[in-house]
Each structure stands twice: as C-alpha cells, then as structure tokens.
Amino acid sequence: DIQMTQSPSTLSASVGDRVTITCRASQSISNWLAWYHQKPGKAPTLLIYEASTLESGVPSRFSGSGSGTEFTLTITSLQPDDFATYYCQQYNSYSRTFGQGTKLEIK
Amino acid sequence: EVQLVESGGGLVKPGGSLRLSCSASGFSFRSYDMNWVRQAPGKGLEWVSTITVSSNSKSYAASVRGRFTIYRGYAENSLYLQMNNLRAEDTAIYYCARDRDSGGYFDSWGQGTLVTVSS
C-alpha cells in the first residue's frame, strides 16, 4: 500500500500568517492527491483535489501544489475558521490512504 | 442538497457483528461510487472500503478484508457495511462518503456513526 506522511504533525500560527503543510507519498501518485480539513466533532470537508484544483466554494487563500511524491498545501492570511486538522489523501490506487494529519493551532 | 445519514452504530462485544447503513438523498445515488471511512477516537482518518456504481467492484483496507462487506441497495438509496468478527481496534466513528465522479476522492460526507467494540 502507498504510505502518506504529513509534516509537521502540529503547527502553531497566528491569524494573518501564511502556513505550508507538506505531504509525501511512498511512491509516485502523479497528481492524484486531495486535501481535507476537519474541525472537532465534524466530518472532514474537501478543499483541493488533483493536487491543485480548488473545490467549489473554498476560499482562494487555500492552494495546493506538487506531483509525484511531494505535495504542499498553503494557506495565506490565516483566518480564525482555518484552525483545524488537515489531511492529505492519495487516490492513485484503489487502496486509498490518508496522511496522519496536521493540527493547525492558534499561537 | 446532498445528504448522507449514517445509522446502526453502537456497543458490541469482541467477535460480534454489526451492520451500518447510510441513507443518501439529494443526488443520483446509483451514479456514484461510495465509500466508508473511519476514525478511531482521537486518531486520523482511515479509508475502509469502496463500492463502484454497479457494485461489480469492491475494495477493502487490509485491516478489514475478510471481515467487512460493503454493499448498496439501489431501491432504497442506501449504502451498507456488514461488519463481522469485530475487534477492539475497530472502535471508531464510521463515515459514509461520496466519491466524486469515480475520481477516488470524497466530496460529501455524512455525520458519522460511532461503533464501540468492548466487552
């Protein structure tokens, strides 16, 4: 199975900051990568698919990049609503896998 | 509006069985691949299983293969997960999730149902 590794596991930042989360795949997944965020007690929400395509309704301060084995999610000008846990997910193979998550905390 | 509503969770003893249901509305259920994803308490997301539009292909995570069965009921617009020989490590919130255009990523999620496996 393809393993997905996110870094960092925890990230402290302030409102207005720019932050980047990295996701690495154990083998090439082309651009078959999605990003989600999840708030406590809620289901995850899709942010980005195909590594860089913004889901409809998602603010433009979110962006994704990368291909092959290394990917990034960038959030510019953090808003209070952005503090949550972020997950990457590969769908290159039918055995889909998620990263372990990155918790974005308020500094 | 797309809605996915899970039910069937609860407390079950190790070795027991449980069937989860996910009722779908607001979209053409028979046109989408569907999935189960779980999340153990305080942990990350784990993909569990996928079923294709026509039910002719089903895939499972290694951790549940041979114990869990995914299936769908077209008449009732519902997705199911039959879980047998449950273990403590199956304790989790189970989410039903819609696959976007068979793309492999999940564009709509239910609110989840909690399964607790404990003696």
Side-chain angles (χ1 to χ4, degrees), chain A residues 13-26:
Chain A
S14 302
V15 171
D17 284 355
R18 178 181 186 273
V19 298
T20 297
I21 298 169
T22 298
C23 179
R24 290 188 173 86
S26 60

Side-chain angles (χ1 to χ4, degrees), chain B residues 77-91:
Chain B
N77 283 348
S78 290
L79 176 71
Y80 302 99
L81 186 68
Q82 177 65 43
M83 304 186 295
N84 297 332
N85 191 19
L86 283 160
R87 305 167 179 166
E89 54 266 35
D90 296 318
T91 295

Side-chain angles (χ1 to χ4, degrees), chain A residues 1 32 34 36 38 41-46 48-50 55-56 87 89-91 94-101, chain B residues 33 35 37 39 43-47 50 52 57 59-62 95 99-100 102-107 109-111:
Chain A
D1 287 359
W32 304 124
Y36 305 84
Q38 184 182 33
K42 301 292 188 182
T45 301
L46 176 66
I48 286 169
Y49 59 94
E50 289 179 16
E55 172 70 347
S56 176
Y87 295 94
Q89 177 235 327
Q90 68 80 20
Y91 49 100
Y94 237 115
S95 183
R96 292 105 187 244
T97 43
F98 289 89
Q100 82 280 14
Chain B
D33 293 356
N35 306 268
V37 176
Q39 186 168 36
K43 302 297 184 183
L45 301 170
E46 179 187 16
W47 168 78
T50 298
T52 56
S57 180
S59 52
Y60 299 92
Y95 295 102
D99 213 289
R100 165 77 59 79
S102 300
Y105 57 94
F106 314 127
D107 68 347
W109 298 65
Q111 85 291 347

Side-chain angles (χ1 to χ4, degrees), chain B residues 38-67:
Chain B
R38 70 184 181 182
Q39 186 168 36
K43 302 297 184 183
L45 301 170
E46 179 187 16
W47 168 78
V48 173
S49 184
T50 298
I51 185 168
T52 56
V53 165
S54 59
S55 299
N56 64 351
S57 180
K58 303 173 185 180
S59 52
Y60 299 92
S63 57
V64 307
R65 195 173 296 133
R67 300 186 298 122

